[in-house]
Amino acid sequence: MSELPQDAVEAAERLTKLARQVGDDNEAEAYRTRRAETLADHDYTARVREDDDTLVLYPDEWLEDGTVVLDRIQDTDRAVEVPLSTTGGEGSWEEIEAHNAALVEAVAAEYGERHEKNARAFADFMGNHYLGRVDEATDEQITEFTTEYFPRNAWPDKKQREIVETSLEYLSSVSEADCPSPTSE
């Protein structure tokens, strides 16, 4: 089992993907610096293994002058590997945004403008903060959205605040309608 907390792994993955998506070298470097600082809090270092596009996180004690010393590795389970390429070819911000936008449009068509606004806010949150599809959000991300991001960043009116959870349920239902489970034929 890794010594690196899951939230640090997720932050490192998110920052790595964001660094790849931005067009500005300074902004990309800022994301990589934030990743390094996040991992340094846990005495870990990140490298991207280019041959299979994998983010590798490993303990600093394995390093000497920036190089991994194999004799220092006692337990390989302490390292964490995160594939950076997503399945299905949907990995760039543009592809994720297009997917999320289609689901937001489906909510608008089926459930109306207020639910559309809430769904759009969630799509913005997932795409911009996690580089993720709305239909792959974790329970923790949904909680973060409803308790932190939504009230502070979406500028919802009273009715939107009252129906936000229903809006997310509608978003999930249109997603399931558009993406049937593999067991259904």
Side-chain angles (χ1 to χ4, degrees):
M1 193 68 158
S2 169
E3 296 174 4
L4 191 59
Q6 186 61 33
D7 62 335
V9 172
E10 290 171 1
E13 177 183 9
R14 179 177 58 84
L15 292 166
T16 300
K17 288 180 176 180
L18 287 170
R20 294 171 145 204
Q21 296 297 319
V22 297
D24 181 289
D25 290 340
N26 291 330
E27 191 175 352
E29 185 57 34
Y31 284 129
R32 287 190 289 271
T33 299
R34 282 182 42 205
R35 178 187 70 194
E37 290 168 353
T38 298
L39 294 172
D41 290 343
H42 304 283
D43 299 318
Y44 268 69
T45 298
R47 294 271 166 82
V48 175
R49 193 170 55 219
E50 300 295 335
D51 60 337
D52 63 354
D53 201 28
T54 299
L55 175 65
V56 182
L57 311 173
Y58 48 86
D60 289 341
E61 66 195 51
W62 292 3
L63 292 173
E64 183 174 307
D65 297 325
T67 303
V68 173
V69 179
L70 296 178
D71 293 345
R72 293 184 181 176
I73 302 173
Q74 307 246 338
D75 180 7
T76 57
D77 288 342
R78 292 181 60 210
V80 178
E81 294 189 0
V82 180
L84 294 173
S85 298
T86 59
T87 58
E90 292 189 351
S92 74
W93 183 88
E94 291 82 7
E95 292 166 324
I96 290 168
E97 171 56 24
H99 173 84
N100 290 347
L103 295 177
V104 170
E105 288 175 26
V107 167
E110 188 80 21
Y111 302 105
E113 183 180 350
R114 285 193 199 241
H115 292 292
E116 174 190 14
K117 287 181 180 180
N118 288 347
R120 180 71 257 168
F122 187 60
D124 290 344
F125 168 75
M126 285 300 296
N128 294 332
H129 291 275
Y130 288 101
L131 196 62
R133 295 166 40 144
V134 294
D135 48 339
E136 294 177 352
T138 65
D139 290 341
E140 292 81 16
Q141 290 167 330
I142 292 169
T143 299
E144 180 184 354
F145 171 76
T146 57
T147 61
E148 296 175 30
Y149 178 91
F150 184 71
R152 286 188 275 178
N153 299 300
W155 298 87
D157 62 27
K158 181 181 179 190
K159 183 64 176 172
Q160 281 178 267
R161 286 191 302 272
E162 291 172 357
I163 64 170
V164 66
E165 290 181 11
T166 303
S167 299
L168 296 180
E169 289 172 13
Y170 290 161
L171 188 57
S172 178
S173 72
V174 299
S175 171
E176 290 170 6
D178 288 345
C179 306
S181 68
T183 57
S184 64
E185 299 267 348

